[in-house]
Coordinates of all heavy atoms in Angstrom, one line a residue:
A180 N 10.9 39.5 12.2 CA 9.6 40.1 12.0 C 9.7 41.6 11.6 O 10.3 42.4 12.2 CB 8.9 40.0 13.4
V181 N 9.1 41.8 10.5 CA 9.0 43.1 9.9 C 7.6 43.7 9.8 O 7.2 44.8 10.2 CB 9.7 43.2 8.5 CG1 9.6 44.6 7.9 CG2 11.1 42.7 8.6
T182 N 6.7 42.8 9.3 CA 5.3 43.3 9.1 C 4.5 43.0 10.3 O 4.9 42.2 11.2 CB 4.6 42.5 7.9 OG1 4.6 41.1 8.2 CG2 5.5 42.7 6.6
P183 N 3.3 43.6 10.5 CA 2.4 43.3 11.6 C 2.1 41.8 11.8 O 2.1 41.2 12.9 CB 1.2 44.2 11.4 CG 1.7 45.3 10.6 CD 2.8 44.8 9.7
L184 N 1.9 41.2 10.6 CA 1.6 39.7 10.7 C 2.7 38.9 11.2 O 2.6 38.1 12.0 CB 1.2 39.2 9.2 CG 1.0 37.7 9.1 CD1 -0.3 37.3 10.0 CD2 0.7 37.4 7.7
E185 N 4.0 39.3 10.8 CA 5.2 38.6 11.2 C 5.4 38.9 12.7 O 5.8 38.0 13.5 CB 6.4 39.1 10.4 CG 6.3 38.6 9.0 CD 7.4 39.2 8.1 OE1 8.1 40.2 8.6 OE2 7.6 38.7 7.0
E186 N 5.1 40.0 13.2 CA 5.1 40.3 14.6 C 4.1 39.4 15.4 O 4.5 38.9 16.5 CB 4.9 41.8 14.9 CG 6.0 42.8 14.5 CD 5.8 44.1 15.1 OE1 5.5 44.3 16.3 OE2 5.9 45.1 14.4
W187 N 3.0 39.2 14.9 CA 2.0 38.4 15.5 C 2.5 36.9 15.6 O 2.5 36.2 16.6 CB 0.7 38.4 14.9 CG -0.3 39.3 15.5 CD1 -0.7 40.6 15.1 CD2 -1.0 39.1 16.7 NE1 -1.5 41.1 16.0 CE2 -1.8 40.2 17.0 CE3 -1.1 37.9 17.6 CZ2 -2.6 40.3 18.2 CZ3 -1.9 38.0 18.7 CH2 -2.6 39.1 19.0
I188 N 3.0 36.4 14.4 CA 3.6 35.0 14.4 C 4.8 34.9 15.3 O 4.9 33.9 16.0 CB 4.0 34.6 12.9 CG1 2.8 34.9 12.0 CG2 4.4 33.2 12.9 CD1 1.5 34.1 12.4
E189 N 5.6 35.9 15.4 CA 6.7 35.9 16.4 C 6.2 35.7 17.8 O 6.8 34.9 18.6 CB 7.6 37.1 16.3 CG 8.7 37.2 17.2 CD 9.6 38.5 17.0 OE1 8.9 39.6 17.2 OE2 10.7 38.5 16.6
Y190 N 5.2 36.5 18.1 CA 4.6 36.4 19.5 C 4.0 35.0 19.7 O 4.2 34.3 20.8 CB 3.5 37.3 19.7 CG 2.5 37.1 20.8 CD1 2.9 36.9 22.2 CD2 1.2 36.8 20.5 CE1 2.1 36.5 23.2 CE2 0.3 36.5 21.6 CZ 0.8 36.3 22.9 OH 0.0 36.0 23.9
L191 N 3.3 34.4 18.7 CA 2.7 33.1 18.9 C 3.8 32.0 19.1 O 3.6 31.1 19.8 CB 1.9 32.7 17.5 CG 0.7 33.6 17.2 CD1 0.0 33.1 15.9 CD2 -0.3 33.5 18.4
K192 N 5.0 32.2 18.5 CA 6.1 31.3 18.6 C 6.8 31.4 19.9 O 7.1 30.4 20.6 CB 7.0 31.4 17.4 CG 8.1 30.3 17.5 CD 9.0 30.3 16.2 CE 10.0 29.3 16.2 NZ 10.8 29.2 15.0
T193 N 7.2 32.7 20.2 CA 8.2 32.9 21.3 C 7.5 33.5 22.5 O 8.1 33.4 23.6 CB 9.3 33.8 20.8 OG1 8.6 35.2 20.6 CG2 9.9 33.4 19.6
G194 N 6.3 34.0 22.4 CA 5.7 34.7 23.6 C 6.2 36.1 23.8 O 5.9 36.7 24.9
C195 N 7.0 36.6 22.9 CA 7.7 37.9 23.1 C 6.9 38.9 22.3 O 6.5 38.7 21.1 CB 9.1 37.9 22.7 SG 10.2 36.7 23.6
I196 N 6.7 40.1 22.9 CA 6.1 41.2 22.2 C 7.1 42.4 22.3 O 7.5 42.8 23.4 CB 4.7 41.6 22.8 CG1 3.8 40.3 22.8 CG2 4.1 42.8 22.1 CD1 2.5 40.6 23.5
R197 N 7.3 43.0 21.1 CA 8.2 44.2 21.1 C 7.6 45.3 21.9 O 6.5 45.6 21.7 CB 8.6 44.6 19.7 CG 9.2 43.5 18.9 CD 9.5 43.9 17.5 NE 10.1 42.8 16.7 CZ 10.6 43.0 15.4 NH1 10.4 44.1 14.8 NH2 11.1 41.9 14.8
P198 N 8.5 46.1 22.7 CA 8.0 47.2 23.4 C 7.5 48.3 22.6 O 6.5 49.0 22.9 CB 9.2 47.7 24.2 CG 10.2 46.5 24.1 CD 9.9 45.8 22.9
N199 N 8.0 48.5 21.3 CA 7.5 49.5 20.4 C 6.5 49.1 19.4 O 6.4 49.7 18.3 CB 8.8 50.2 19.8 CG 9.6 49.2 19.0 OD1 9.4 48.0 19.2 ND2 10.4 49.7 18.1
T200 N 5.9 47.9 19.6 CA 5.1 47.5 18.5 C 3.9 48.3 18.3 O 3.4 48.9 19.1 CB 4.5 45.9 18.9 OG1 3.7 45.5 17.9 CG2 3.7 46.1 20.2
K201 N 3.6 48.3 17.0 CA 2.4 49.1 16.5 C 1.3 48.1 15.8 O 0.4 48.5 15.3 CB 2.8 50.2 15.5 CG 3.7 51.2 16.2 CD 3.0 52.0 17.3 CE 3.9 53.1 18.0 NZ 3.3 53.7 19.1
A202 N 1.6 46.8 15.8 CA 0.8 45.9 15.2 C -0.6 45.8 15.9 O -0.6 45.9 17.2 CB 1.4 44.5 15.3
P203 N -1.7 45.9 15.2 CA -3.0 45.8 15.8 C -3.2 44.7 16.8 O -2.9 43.5 16.5 CB -3.9 45.7 14.6 CG -3.2 46.4 13.4 CD -1.8 46.0 13.7
G204 N -3.6 45.0 18.0 CA -3.9 43.9 19.0 C -2.7 43.7 19.8 O -2.8 43.4 21.0
L205 N -1.4 43.8 19.3 CA -0.2 43.4 20.1 C 0.0 44.5 21.3 O 0.5 44.1 22.3 CB 0.9 43.2 19.3 CG 1.0 41.9 18.5 CD1 2.3 41.8 17.8 CD2 0.9 40.7 19.5
E206 N -0.3 45.7 20.9 CA 0.0 46.8 21.9 C -0.9 46.5 23.1 O -0.5 46.7 24.3 CB -0.2 48.1 21.2 CG 0.2 49.4 22.2 CD 0.2 50.6 21.4 OE1 -0.2 50.7 20.2 OE2 0.6 51.6 22.0
E207 N -2.2 46.1 22.8 CA -3.1 45.9 23.9 C -2.7 44.6 24.6 O -2.9 44.5 25.8 CB -4.5 45.8 23.3 CG -5.6 45.7 24.5 CD -7.0 45.8 23.9 OE1 -7.2 46.3 22.7 OE2 -8.0 45.5 24.5
A208 N -2.3 43.6 23.8 CA -1.8 42.3 24.4 C -0.7 42.5 25.4 O -0.6 41.8 26.5 CB -1.4 41.4 23.4
R209 N 0.2 43.5 25.2 CA 1.2 43.8 26.2 C 0.8 44.3 27.6 O 1.4 44.1 28.5 CB 2.2 45.0 25.6 CG 3.0 44.5 24.4 CD 4.1 45.5 24.0 NE 5.2 45.6 25.0 CZ 5.4 46.6 25.8 NH1 4.6 47.7 25.8 NH2 6.4 46.5 26.8
K210 N -0.4 44.8 27.6 CA -1.0 45.2 28.8 C -1.8 44.2 29.5 O -2.0 44.1 30.7 CB -1.9 46.5 28.5 CG -1.1 47.7 27.9 CD -2.1 48.8 27.5 CE -1.3 49.9 26.8 NZ -2.3 51.0 26.4
K211 N -2.6 43.3 28.6 CA -3.5 42.5 29.2 C -3.1 41.0 29.3 O -3.8 40.2 29.9 CB -4.9 42.6 28.4 CG -5.4 44.0 28.4 CD -6.7 44.0 27.7 CE -7.5 45.4 27.9 NZ -8.7 45.6 27.2
L212 N -2.0 40.6 28.7 CA -1.5 39.2 28.6 C -0.3 39.0 29.4 O 0.5 38.2 29.2 CB -1.4 38.7 27.2 CG -2.6 38.7 26.3 CD1 -2.3 38.0 25.0 CD2 -3.8 38.1 27.0
V213 N -0.1 39.9 30.4 CA 1.1 39.8 31.3 C 0.9 38.6 32.3 O 0.0 38.6 33.0 CB 1.4 41.1 32.0 CG1 2.7 41.0 32.8 CG2 1.5 42.2 31.0
Y214 N 1.9 37.7 32.3 CA 1.8 36.5 33.2 C 1.7 37.0 34.6 O 0.9 36.4 35.4 CB 3.1 35.8 33.0 CG 3.3 34.6 33.9 CD1 2.6 33.5 33.8 CD2 4.2 34.8 35.1 CE1 2.7 32.4 34.8 CE2 4.3 33.7 36.0 CZ 3.6 32.6 35.8 OH 3.8 31.5 36.7
Y215 N 2.5 38.0 35.1 CA 2.5 38.4 36.5 C 1.2 39.2 36.9 O 1.1 39.4 38.2 CB 3.8 39.1 36.8 CG 5.0 38.3 36.6 CD1 5.7 38.4 35.5 CD2 5.4 37.4 37.6 CE1 6.8 37.6 35.3 CE2 6.5 36.6 37.4 CZ 7.2 36.7 36.3 OH 8.3 35.8 36.0
N216 N 0.4 39.4 36.0 CA -0.9 40.0 36.4 C -2.0 39.0 36.8 O -3.0 39.4 37.4 CB -1.5 40.9 35.3 CG -0.7 42.1 35.1 OD1 0.1 42.5 35.9 ND2 -0.9 42.8 33.9
M217 N -1.7 37.7 36.5 CA -2.6 36.8 36.9 C -2.6 36.4 38.4 O -1.5 36.5 39.1 CB -2.4 35.4 36.2 CG -2.6 35.4 34.6 SD -2.6 33.9 33.9 CE -0.9 33.4 34.1
D218 N -3.7 35.9 39.1 CA -3.7 35.6 40.4 C -3.0 34.2 40.6 O -2.6 33.5 39.6 CB -5.1 35.6 41.0 CG -6.0 34.7 40.4 OD1 -5.5 33.6 39.9 OD2 -7.2 34.9 40.3
K219 N -2.8 33.8 41.8 CA -2.1 32.6 42.2 C -2.6 31.4 41.5 O -1.9 30.5 41.0 CB -1.9 32.4 43.6 CG -1.1 31.2 44.0 CD -1.0 31.2 45.5 CE 0.0 30.0 46.0 NZ 0.2 30.0 47.5
A220 N -4.0 31.2 41.5 CA -4.7 30.0 40.9 C -4.5 30.1 39.5 O -4.3 29.0 38.8 CB -6.1 30.0 41.4
E221 N -4.6 31.2 38.8 CA -4.5 31.3 37.4 C -3.1 30.9 36.9 O -2.9 30.2 36.0 CB -4.8 32.7 36.8 CG -6.4 33.0 36.9 CD -6.6 34.4 36.6 OE1 -5.7 35.2 36.8 OE2 -7.7 34.8 36.2
K222 N -2.1 31.4 37.7 CA -0.6 31.1 37.4 C -0.4 29.6 37.5 O 0.2 29.0 36.7 CB 0.3 31.9 38.3 CG 0.4 33.4 38.1 CD 1.3 34.0 39.1 CE 1.4 35.5 38.9 NZ 2.3 36.1 39.9
L223 N -1.0 28.9 38.6 CA -0.8 27.5 38.7 C -1.4 26.8 37.6 O -0.7 25.8 37.1 CB -1.5 27.1 40.0 CG -1.3 25.7 40.5 CD1 0.2 25.3 40.6 CD2 -2.1 25.3 41.7
A224 N -2.6 27.1 37.2 CA -3.2 26.4 36.1 C -2.5 26.6 34.8 O -2.2 25.7 33.9 CB -4.7 26.9 35.9
Y225 N -2.0 27.8 34.6 CA -1.2 28.2 33.3 C 0.1 27.4 33.3 O 0.5 26.8 32.3 CB -0.9 29.7 33.3 CG -0.1 30.0 32.1 CD1 -0.5 30.1 30.9 CD2 1.3 30.4 32.3 CE1 0.3 30.5 29.8 CE2 2.1 30.7 31.3 CZ 1.5 30.8 29.9 OH 2.3 31.2 28.9
D226 N 0.8 27.4 34.5 CA 2.1 26.6 34.6 C 1.9 25.1 34.3 O 2.7 24.5 33.7 CB 2.7 26.9 35.9 CG 3.3 28.1 36.2 OD1 3.4 29.0 35.1 OD2 3.4 28.6 37.3
R227 N 0.8 24.6 34.8 CA 0.5 23.2 34.5 C 0.2 22.9 33.1 O 0.6 21.9 32.5 CB -0.7 22.7 35.3 CG -0.4 22.5 36.8 CD -1.8 22.1 37.6 NE -1.5 21.9 39.0 CZ -2.4 21.8 39.9 NH1 -3.7 21.7 39.5 NH2 -2.1 21.5 41.2
H228 N -0.4 23.9 32.4 CA -0.7 23.8 31.0 C 0.6 23.7 30.3 O 0.8 22.9 29.3 CB -1.6 24.9 30.6 CG -1.7 25.1 29.1 ND1 -2.4 24.2 28.3 CD2 -1.1 26.0 28.2 CE1 -2.3 24.6 26.9 NE2 -1.5 25.6 26.9
I229 N 1.6 24.7 30.6 CA 2.8 24.8 29.9 C 3.7 23.5 30.1 O 4.3 23.0 29.2 CB 3.7 26.0 30.4 CG1 2.9 27.3 30.0 CG2 5.0 26.0 29.7 CD1 2.6 27.5 28.6
D230 N 3.6 22.9 31.3 CA 4.3 21.7 31.6 C 3.7 20.5 30.7 O 4.5 19.7 30.3 CB 4.1 21.3 33.1 CG 5.0 22.2 34.0 OD1 5.9 22.9 33.5 OD2 4.7 22.3 35.2
A231 N 2.4 20.5 30.7 CA 1.7 19.5 29.9 C 2.1 19.5 28.4 O 2.4 18.5 27.7 CB 0.2 19.6 30.0
V232 N 2.2 20.8 27.9 CA 2.6 21.0 26.5 C 4.0 20.5 26.3 O 4.4 19.8 25.3 CB 2.5 22.5 26.1 CG1 3.2 22.7 24.7 CG2 1.1 22.9 26.1
M233 N 4.9 20.9 27.2 CA 6.4 20.5 27.1 C 6.5 19.0 27.2 O 7.3 18.4 26.5 CB 7.2 21.2 28.2 CG 7.3 22.7 28.0 SD 8.2 23.5 29.4 CE 9.7 22.8 29.1
I234 N 5.8 18.3 28.1 CA 5.9 16.9 28.3 C 5.3 16.2 27.0 O 6.0 15.3 26.5 CB 5.0 16.4 29.4 CG1 5.8 16.9 30.8 CG2 5.0 14.9 29.4 CD1 5.0 16.7 32.0
Q235 N 4.2 16.7 26.5 CA 3.7 16.1 25.3 C 4.6 16.3 24.1 O 4.9 15.3 23.3 CB 2.4 16.8 24.9 CG 1.7 16.1 23.6 CD 0.4 16.8 23.4 OE1 0.0 17.8 24.0 NE2 -0.4 16.3 22.4
N236 N 5.3 17.4 23.9 CA 6.2 17.6 22.8 C 7.4 16.8 23.0 O 7.9 16.2 22.0 CB 6.7 19.1 22.8 CG 5.5 20.0 22.3 OD1 4.6 19.6 21.7 ND2 5.6 21.2 22.6
D237 N 7.9 16.6 24.3 CA 9.0 15.7 24.5 C 8.7 14.3 24.2 O 9.5 13.5 23.6 CB 9.5 15.8 26.0 CG 10.7 15.0 26.3 OD1 11.8 15.3 25.6 OD2 10.6 14.1 27.1
V238 N 7.5 13.8 24.6 CA 7.1 12.4 24.3 C 7.0 12.2 22.8 O 7.5 11.2 22.2 CB 5.7 12.1 25.0 CG1 5.2 10.8 24.4 CG2 5.8 12.0 26.5
L239 N 6.4 13.2 22.1 CA 6.3 13.0 20.6 C 7.7 13.0 20.0 O 8.0 12.3 19.1 CB 5.5 14.2 20.0 CG 4.0 14.1 20.4 CD1 3.3 15.4 19.9 CD2 3.3 12.9 19.8
S240 N 8.6 13.9 20.4 CA 10.0 14.0 19.9 C 10.7 12.7 20.1 O 11.5 12.2 19.3 CB 10.7 15.2 20.5 OG 10.1 16.4 20.2
T241 N 10.5 12.1 21.4 CA 11.3 10.9 21.7 C 10.7 9.7 20.8 O 11.5 8.9 20.3 CB 11.0 10.5 23.2 OG1 11.5 11.5 24.0 CG2 11.7 9.2 23.6
A242 N 9.4 9.7 20.7 CA 8.8 8.7 19.8 C 9.3 8.7 18.4 O 9.5 7.8 17.7 CB 7.2 8.7 19.8
K243 N 9.4 10.0 17.9 CA 9.9 10.2 16.5 C 11.3 9.8 16.4 O 11.7 9.2 15.4 CB 9.7 11.7 16.2 CG 9.9 12.1 14.7 CD 9.6 13.5 14.5 CE 9.8 13.9 13.0 NZ 9.5 15.3 12.8
L244 N 12.1 10.2 17.4 CA 13.5 9.7 17.3 C 13.7 8.3 17.3 O 14.4 7.6 16.6 CB 14.2 10.4 18.4 CG 15.8 10.0 18.6 CD1 16.6 10.6 17.4 CD2 16.4 10.7 19.8
E245 N 13.0 7.6 18.3 CA 13.0 6.1 18.3 C 12.5 5.5 17.1 O 13.1 4.4 16.7 CB 12.2 5.6 19.5 CG 12.8 6.1 20.9 CD 11.9 5.6 22.1 OE1 10.7 5.2 21.8 OE2 12.4 5.6 23.2

Side-chain angles (χ1 to χ4, degrees):
V181 177
T182 67
L184 176 60
E185 290 171 348
E186 285 192 48
W187 261 103
I188 305 302
E189 182 180 56
Y190 160 62
L191 294 178
K192 181 176 182 178
T193 66
C195 297
I196 303 176
R197 299 180 180 185
N199 60 344
T200 183
K201 298 299 180 183
L205 281 183
E206 191 171 4
E207 187 170 349
R209 290 191 71 248
K210 302 173 184 177
K211 297 185 176 181
L212 301 186
V213 180
Y214 171 78
Y215 295 100
N216 286 349
M217 293 191 295
D218 59 33
K219 186 176 181 180
E221 289 174 332
K222 288 180 183 177
L223 181 60
Y225 177 75
D226 290 341
R227 285 177 177 172
H228 169 72
I229 297 301
D230 288 342
V232 170
M233 293 177 65
I234 291 172
Q235 182 178 8
N236 289 338
D237 184 59
V238 169
L239 292 175
S240 298
T241 301
K243 190 174 182 179
L244 179 61
E245 290 177 348

